[in-house]
RNA sequence: GGGCCGGUAGCUCAGCGGCAGAGCAGGGGACUUUUAAUCCCUGUGUCGUGGGUUCGAAUCCCACCCGGCUCACCA
């Protein structure tokens, strides 16, 4: 991801930078909408790494009108639709001051979990009453004709000549989505709260003059955006493709910044979205897409990595459902970590891979070398171990590493194990699942050759006699018996996997068998061997 | 209709003027404690199509085809 560092180099000599983004807290968030904030954070980190004094701002546009009734209780729809989000009561009733606070807080909590810590959150519902927006409101009203011209020219939207760029909050019903300003006399605006201005909310019919300052009115979206740039001195602001399209919101706000507020707009970093399975992300496209599920399965650093690895203007096609994309994401992350730690890695690495790793870390101040060098067991291996009862994953990881895990590595292991379990629950393809076929000998056992069947028969007899109790006991026995019948260990293990799991490979066989009912282990070995008490190998009684 | 992104090996993608690449999957082999481990070997693909520029094009230019997203009301 050299793009962030390139950007930083580009603005290095332009003085302090203010990076900004803002969001309307209209409701729930899906994973894809986190790409913007992650990019925002990476830009801020890259600027700081390049010695640029940087302020990271995040705004909550909570004076925007409530326009989604899905999250309102039915009796609240009529009264609340069209009112500023900050004035709508919290529907969840969990002690937030408003609907906007509730949703914004949930969003902010996600930020923190992803290592995103803006220097300041600002709330438009708090900014307007201070009068800070008044100069911009005045400018917008004075230059209403210019604004109308911009809409016509840039966005091909023709407003009536009486239209003024201001959203007054109706002094009678408190709604902002239903009002229209038709006149401005330099002190006051003429407001009409129309019953049917929009389909989604009802106006009260108010008609009169109000003073539009100090929180009595808000600027419409495109003007508010441009005014924020002026108010906060924003120099960089990434924008999703929904805004950054030609003739779209960003173009309009850019023109407004230049022609109405007379300020050069900030540098845009347009970014693409995250698609699920080549389709637009939504909670309805399958079990795979739900945001909370995704967050359970992908730890924060891998989620950051997912967003930061591709260039911002490349769409991310993520399809975790029934695929190995999540294990691959971990493998790729581990590869970047290994490379950053200076270890030899297979295959190619994109330019700037060290930066990608660094900016994927949760803690901006983390010791990159130590993080990169930390032991991380392979995700797919964990997913396998997680399916075997009685396995001590911590012990296994330690054995693999060859020395005790540090406390950090212990934490990584736990996080990753939880992710693996979540993946198995929600997304994993059938071939990644391991299940003991309890009912009958799996069909895959039919492929066993005579030597393997002999091994299973012998194993059954010996296990019946020795009663191995632990995984180690079983493991030793397996090797012993294999040696006894002159079968290479690899083929011996394959025989066990086919007989019990119906597949050619699996988790450590000794521990697998130790986790089963001893009588069952003995019986199944015998059944799958096709041996009879008479001692001759007959056909294997294969079941479903 | 406008905009953006993509179309390179079975899959995921890198390469973006100089001999078509990697990972994974697949195939073959080695390994007597190996556990989807490790190691070695294995890639003949109209680089979406058609033109053009160039000594040389997957790469630059033009046109087109296909796929996806997005904007065309508000935010």
């Amino acid at each position: 991801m050299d793009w962030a560092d390139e950007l930083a180099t580009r603005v290095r000599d332009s003085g302090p930078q203010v990076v900004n983004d803002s969001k309307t807290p209209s409701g729930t968030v899906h994973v894809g909408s986190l790409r913007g904030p992650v990019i925002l954070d990476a830009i801020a980190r890259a600027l700081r790494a390049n010695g640029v004094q940087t302020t990271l701002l995040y705004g909550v546009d909570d004076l925007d009108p409530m326009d989604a009734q899905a999250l309102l209780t039915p009796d609240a729809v009529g009264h609340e639709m069209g009112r500023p989000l900050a004035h709508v009561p919290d529907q969840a009733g969990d002690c937030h001051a408003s609907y906007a606070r509730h949703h914004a807080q949930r969003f902010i909590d996600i930020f923190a979990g992803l290592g995103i810590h803006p220097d300041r959150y600002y709330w438009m519902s708090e900014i307007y009453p201070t009068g800070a927006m008044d100069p911009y409101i005045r400018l917008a009203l004075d230059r209403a004709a210019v604004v109308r011209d911009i809409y016509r020219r840039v966005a091909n939207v023709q407003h009536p000549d009486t239209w003024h760029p201001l959203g007054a909050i109706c002094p009678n019903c408190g709604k902002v989505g239903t009002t229209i300003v038709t006149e401005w006399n330099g002190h006051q605006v003429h407001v009409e709260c129309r019953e049917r201005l929009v389909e989604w909310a009802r106006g009260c019919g108010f008609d009169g003059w109000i003073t539009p300052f100090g929180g009595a009115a808000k600027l419409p979206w495109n003007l508010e955006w441009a005014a924020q740039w002026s108010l906060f001195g924003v120099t960089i602001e990434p924008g999703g493709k929904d805004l950054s399209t030609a003739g779209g919101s960003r173009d309009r706000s850019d023109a407004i910044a230049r022609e109405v507020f007379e300020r050069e707009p900030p540098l845009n970093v347009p970014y693409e979205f995250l698609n699920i399975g080549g389709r637009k992300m939504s909670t309805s496209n399958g079990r795979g897409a739900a945001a909370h599920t995704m967050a359970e399965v992908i730890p924060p650093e891998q989620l950051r990595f997912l967003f930061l690895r591709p260039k911002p203007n490349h769409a991310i096609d993520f399809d975790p459902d029934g695929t190995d994309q999540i294990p691959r994401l971990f493998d790729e992350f581990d590869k970047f970590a290994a490379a950053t730690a200076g270890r030899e890695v297979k295959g190619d690495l994109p330019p700037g891979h060290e930066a990608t790793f660094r900016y994927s870390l949760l803690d901006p101040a983390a010791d990159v070398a130590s993080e990169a060098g930390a032991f991380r067991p392979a995700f797919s291996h964990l997913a396998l171990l997680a399916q075997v009862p009685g396995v001590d994953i911590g012990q296994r990881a330690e054995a693999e590493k060859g020395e005790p895990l540090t406390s950090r590595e212990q934490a990584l292991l736990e996080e990753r194990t939880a992710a693996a379990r979540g993946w198995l629950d929600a997304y994993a393809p059938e071939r990644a699942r391991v299940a003991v076929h309890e009912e009958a000998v799996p069909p895959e056992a039919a492929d066993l050759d005579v030597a393997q069947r002999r091994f299973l028969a012998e194993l059954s007899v010996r296990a019946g006699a020795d009663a191995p109790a632990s995984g180690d006991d079983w493991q030793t026995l397996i090797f012993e018996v294999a040696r006894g019948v002159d079968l290479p260990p690899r083929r011996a293990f394959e025989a066990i996997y086919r007989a019990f799991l119906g597949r050619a490979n699996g988790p450590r066989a000794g521990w697998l068998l130790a986790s089963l009912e001893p009588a069952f282990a003995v019986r199944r070995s015998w059944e799958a061997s096709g041996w009879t008490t008479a001692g001759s190998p007959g056909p294997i009684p294969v079941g479903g």
Side-chain angles (χ1 to χ4, degrees), chain A residues 122-145:
Chain A
Y122 60 87
W123 305 73
M124 292 315 290
S125 64
E126 292 177 349
I127 300 280
Y128 277 98
T130 66
M133 294 295 279
D134 291 351
Y136 305 104
I137 290 174
R138 183 174 288 281
L139 266 174
L141 290 170
D142 286 346
R143 300 183 180 178

Side-chain angles (χ1 to χ4, degrees), chain A residues 31 87 91 99 114 150 173 197 276 314 348 383 410 476:
Chain A
V31 187
H87 300 171
Q91 303 294 297
Y99 180 94
L114 282 175
I150 289 170
C173 71
L197 183 70
I276 297 291
H314 278 51
D348 299 330
Q410 190 65 40
T476 307

Side-chain angles (χ1 to χ4, degrees), chain A residues 461-536:
Chain A
V461 171
R462 288 286 307 275
D466 300 3
S470 68
D472 269 319
D473 290 352
W474 271 103
Q475 195 77 346
T476 307
L477 182 63
I478 291 165
F479 279 104
E480 245 179 68
V481 172
R483 225 178 352 255
V485 300
D486 205 23
L487 186 69
R490 187 185 190 79
R491 310 238 336 272
F493 283 110
E494 187 199 335
I496 293 171
Y497 296 136
R498 284 185 185 278
F500 286 85
L501 305 176
R503 41 187 284 159
N505 52 39
R508 308 187 84 202
W511 283 261
L512 175 68
L513 295 184
S515 73
L516 302 172
E517 195 67 37
F520 171 72
V522 168
R523 192 176 73 240
R524 171 56 57 78
S525 290
W526 184 260
E527 286 168 355
S529 77
W531 229 262
T532 69
T533 40
S536 65

Side-chain angles (χ1 to χ4, degrees), chain A residues 17 34 59 61 64 84 150 156 188 201 269 296 342 347 374 390 406 419 426 461 475 484 486-487 498:
Chain A
Q17 298 293 310
L34 292 172
D61 299 328
D64 290 352
I150 289 170
N156 202 27
Q188 291 198 308
V269 181
E296 273 167 26
T406 64
V461 171
Q475 195 77 346
D486 205 23
L487 186 69
R498 284 185 185 278

